[in-house]
């Protein structure tokens, strides 16, 4: 079995990692909202045409 070396992150590296994680999460959330809105816009005319 190999002896694994563990890396200890500095506080600035931890802060940078957290900032990146938050940015990725916000980006994914924005994509979800964009796809949701695009889907509603795409299907709304047919839904209102049937109901109207």
């Amino acid at each position: 079995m190999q002896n694994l070396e563990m890396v200890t992150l500095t506080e600035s590296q931890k802060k940078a990692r957290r900032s990146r994680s938050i940015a990725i999460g916000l980006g994914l959330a924005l994509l979800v909202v964009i796809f949701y809105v695009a889907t509603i816009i795409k299907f709304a005319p047919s839904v209102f045409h049937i109901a109207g």
Side-chain angles (χ1 to χ4, degrees), residues 12-26:
S12 62
Q13 289 172 325
K14 288 179 185 177
K15 186 176 179 183
R17 177 186 281 182
R18 178 168 168 77
S19 296
R20 278 192 305 272
S21 296
I22 290 172
I24 290 169
L26 289 175

Side-chain angles (χ1 to χ4, degrees), residues 7-48:
V7 177
T8 303
L9 298 176
T10 64
E11 287 303 316
S12 62
Q13 289 172 325
K14 288 179 185 177
K15 186 176 179 183
R17 177 186 281 182
R18 178 168 168 77
S19 296
R20 278 192 305 272
S21 296
I22 290 172
I24 290 169
L26 289 175
L28 286 172
L30 181 63
L31 276 175
V32 168
V33 170
I34 289 170
F35 286 134
Y36 179 76
V37 170
T39 302
I40 295 300
I41 290 171
K42 181 176 179 179
F43 291 115
S46 63
V47 169
F48 289 128

